[in-house]
Amino acid sequence: MQSDLYALGFQGSVATPTSENYEEAIKRQSATAALRPAYVCYPIGPADISLAIKFALTQDPPLEIAVKSGGCHTSTNASTDGGLVVDLALLKGVEVSEDRKTVAFQSGCLWGDVYSELEKHGLKAVGGSTWFVGVGGYMTGGGYSNLSGQFGLAIDNLVSAEIVLADGRIVRCSADDEPDLFWAIRGGGNQFGIVTEFVARTYPIRGPALSGALFYAVTDLKHVLGVLHEFLETQPATTYLCFGFARSPPHFQPSIIAIPYVDGGDSAAAEAFTALFQTKLAPLVSHLASLPSLNTASHAGDALLLDVPPRGVTTAALFSVLYDDVVEWVFNEWLNFTDNEETKRTLALFEFFKRGKVDGVAVGDTAYSVRAPHWYMALGTRHTNPELDKHAEDWADKVTSCVKRQNAERTGQMLPTPANMALGPDYTSTEEVYGENLPRLRKIKAKYDPTKVWRRGWVIEPSL
Ligand SMILES: Cc1cc2nc3c(=O)[nH]c(=O)nc-3n(C[C@H](O)[C@H](O)[C@H](O)COP(=O)(O)OP(=O)(O)OC[C@H]3O[C@@H](n4cnc5c(N)ncnc54)[C@H](O)[C@@H]3O)c2cc1C
């Protein structure tokens, strides 16, 4: 009964299957990720989360607990059938420190919430390139950003975090406090507790950013790839490039798409980008614009990402060398998969940032195990008919597995797929997600969650 939770002193709100708002409460960014929990609770602070954990674990039998931040993961990891969901949606605080060097943001924020507060202070932070991605799953997974070429992953800029542990304790971790826990949450996913607040470094906005979208004819793929290689040889650290395939509205014809981000203040990088992608390549359509902040740039993909069919999978494959024949294979796969009404909004995107910062961190310094030089390819499928769920998952698995395998066969490197990018536990093993850091993660799990309270997603077996 939800009244039992209130009797414990819980101050937030609770939805159960008989509540009017229940169907809304269980919604996820993709309907494939929605399950039917017995309780969805909305804590107003960490103390409420401790009470929700206590409540769930003292039921007979104990309730499975799931945690949801932005609800963008397309697996069911952020929900549970018959259990209790801790939905962090009411935890939206964002506060810039007095010295402006850090920002504290609560884990129910979307990146757009963080950027819009930072913008008021003339600041930016290393976060998701799309405004509606939740900070919780993104940060605990690693976090690639438009700023990764300059400042690394989002977790490389994390200073401290507040977490509610499996036993209900509320702790703060950093390089000095609970250092093992701080190590583990930087890539260890949802396996160590519910993060309620992240504190991350900030950077000054130095001028308007260049972003938008450019479209090219698919018959030009070889030529466009040639220019892409030219760009990557000298890619400025201030740039990020999302390059791939989309059928965009209103005509849904297949096209090559490039979504650049050139950070503010680097006019030389903006000129270098436009010289190649605008002048040398002559796009069919160009929507480049000078934008005041990361916040506005985080809307660059809105036309492709919003108002899409309700179901889909988002996943990725990390690779270390860009092979043209692999890109061409992905293109043909994408072309066939999207050649119908249901799946035409599916995207296949290769994402490039200047190497050096992300791979400049040692693999043992955080739980994030991919520190060899790399980029990644992301797939975002979309459809309406639930009967196509398996078809979409199998296709995404086939394409990402092939990209990883080709990379491994040719370079000798089989790169893990981080928790925020892997398809789901049915497709990707815990070993494939955590890579060589798994043994240390198991030891830390034994210390912080020996009875496996956190058992959604890629569950780490505790080991002494
Ligand atoms: C349109 C789109 C754009 C994306 N862009 C990027 C990008 O630029 N860079 C990138 O790296 N990734 C990107 N991603 C992937 C993204 O990082 C993942 O989808 C991530 O899981 C989103 O976080 P969320 O909080 O919205 O997820 P949720 O679905 O809410 O949660 C995902 C997982 O994280 C766990 N979790 C959530 N919050 C917490 C918390 N506070 N404490 C502990 N565990 C928690 C959940 O239990 C669940 O297992 C993108 C995804 C989409 C759909």
Side-chain angles (χ1 to χ4, degrees):
M1 298 291 289
Q2 74 200 70
S3 55
D4 297 338
L5 191 46
Y6 291 125
L8 286 176
F10 185 83
Q11 296 191 8
S13 58
V14 183
T16 63
T18 54
S19 309
E20 245 178 55
N21 64 341
Y22 181 74
E23 296 304 325
E24 194 56 34
I26 64 172
K27 266 193 187 159
R28 297 292 182 268
Q29 211 253 338
S30 160
T32 54
L35 298 177
R36 301 193 74 78
Y39 300 88
V40 179
C41 68
Y42 298 90
I44 59 163
D48 261 359
I49 297 180
S50 300
L51 294 174
I53 295 170
K54 184 174 174 187
F55 171 78
L57 299 183
T58 51
Q59 301 305 296
D60 186 18
L63 298 175
E64 181 177 70
I65 305 172
V67 186
K68 180 235 164 192
S69 169
C72 275
H73 207 290
T74 52
S75 73
T76 56
N77 295 354
S79 193
T80 161
D81 262 331
L84 178 144
V85 168
V86 176
D87 189 318
L88 302 163
L90 298 181
L91 300 183
K92 290 272 197 190
V94 184
E95 199 173 326
V96 172
S97 64
E98 239 170 68
D99 64 7
R100 303 173 75 247
K101 290 189 172 150
T102 59
V103 58
F105 45 97
Q106 287 187 298
S107 54
C109 290
L110 307 179
W111 277 107
D113 300 323
V114 182
Y115 296 152
S116 46
E117 183 59 29
L118 283 171
E119 194 177 0
K120 293 180 200 159
H121 299 260
L123 296 170
K124 62 196 176 199
V126 181
S129 37
T130 305
W131 63 274
F132 61 80
V133 169
V135 302
Y138 171 97
M139 287 300 287
T140 51
Y144 293 91
S145 163
N146 282 337
L147 305 182
S148 285
Q150 295 177 83
F151 310 118
L153 294 175
I155 51 164
D156 301 333
N157 292 275
L158 189 65
V159 176
S160 68
E162 180 186 69
I163 305 181
V164 185
L165 299 175
D167 61 8
R169 276 184 302 141
I170 301 164
V171 299
R172 198 156 263 287
C173 67
S174 66
D176 299 322
D177 298 322
E178 310 276 357
D180 279 347
L181 185 62
F182 187 56
W183 182 87
I185 60 156
R186 287 177 292 162
N190 63 355
Q191 287 296 294
F192 298 90
I194 301 182
V195 181
T196 47
E197 183 186 82
F198 299 94
V199 179
R201 275 180 217 115
T202 57
Y203 299 94
I205 295 175
R206 298 198 188 280
L210 180 77
S211 191
L214 299 154
F215 296 85
Y216 307 93
V218 291
T219 45
D220 262 359
L221 182 56
K222 272 194 194 316
H223 183 204
V224 179
L225 279 173
V227 169
L228 174 64
H229 282 289
E230 206 179 316
F231 173 71
L232 294 177
E233 266 166 35
T234 54
Q235 180 175 10
T238 50
T239 65
Y240 189 95
L241 178 61
C242 208
F243 167 92
F245 310 112
R247 293 175 187 257
S248 24
H251 304 299
F252 298 102
Q253 289 304 307
S255 57
I256 301 171
I257 181 167
I259 303 178
Y261 176 82
V262 183
D263 200 20
D266 193 348
S267 49
E271 275 164 30
F273 178 85
T274 43
L276 285 175
F277 284 86
Q278 186 128 282
T279 312
K280 193 161 182 178
L281 276 178
L284 299 172
V285 180
S286 168
H287 294 301
L288 282 188
S290 173
L291 302 168
S293 67
L294 259 185
N295 195 26
T296 39
S298 74
H299 288 265
D302 280 2
L304 295 172
L305 298 171
L306 298 181
D307 196 20
V308 289
R311 314 183 77 83
V313 292
T314 304
T315 186
L318 279 54
F319 61 89
S320 34
V321 175
L322 179 69
Y323 295 109
D324 286 4
D325 60 336
V326 174
V327 179
E328 281 161 6
W329 179 83
V330 171
F331 167 67
N332 284 316
E333 277 292 324
W334 169 85
L335 198 61
N336 288 335
F337 183 76
T338 56
D339 190 16
N340 68 70
E341 265 314 289
E342 268 280 353
T343 50
K344 66 186 181 189
R345 299 291 301 246
T346 295
L347 306 171
L349 300 171
F350 292 77
E351 312 227 356
F352 302 101
F353 45 89
K354 170 82 175 169
R355 291 166 171 196
K357 281 290 178 187
V358 173
D359 49 275
V361 175
V363 74
D365 283 0
T366 65
Y368 198 80
S369 61
V370 195
R371 295 301 187 168
H374 64 276
W375 293 303
Y376 69 93
M377 181 211 60
L379 297 176
T381 75
R382 279 289 158 182
H383 60 273
T384 302
N385 183 350
E387 284 174 16
L388 291 178
D389 289 357
K390 182 85 173 55
H391 171 59
E393 285 174 1
D394 286 348
W395 178 76
D397 180 54
K398 173 184 161 190
V399 176
T400 50
S401 298
C402 176
V403 170
K404 284 191 275 188
R405 202 175 49 247
Q406 286 297 324
N407 191 67
E409 281 171 11
R410 299 180 198 198
T411 68
Q413 288 186 313
M414 177 54 99
L415 301 178
T417 308
N420 61 331
M421 296 179 149
L423 198 49
D426 291 345
Y427 287 91
T428 314
S429 68
T430 304
E431 286 74 14
E432 286 169 302
V433 167
Y434 297 115
E436 64 184 275
N437 282 326
L438 186 55
R440 185 170 171 199
L441 284 165
R442 286 197 169 127
K443 289 197 171 70
I444 301 174
K445 181 84 170 173
K447 183 172 169 191
Y448 288 99
D449 184 23
T451 58
K452 291 194 286 181
V453 167
W454 316 119
R455 60 184 63 179
R456 298 296 303 152
W458 290 277
V459 182
I460 296 173
E461 281 302 318
S463 137
L464 293 172

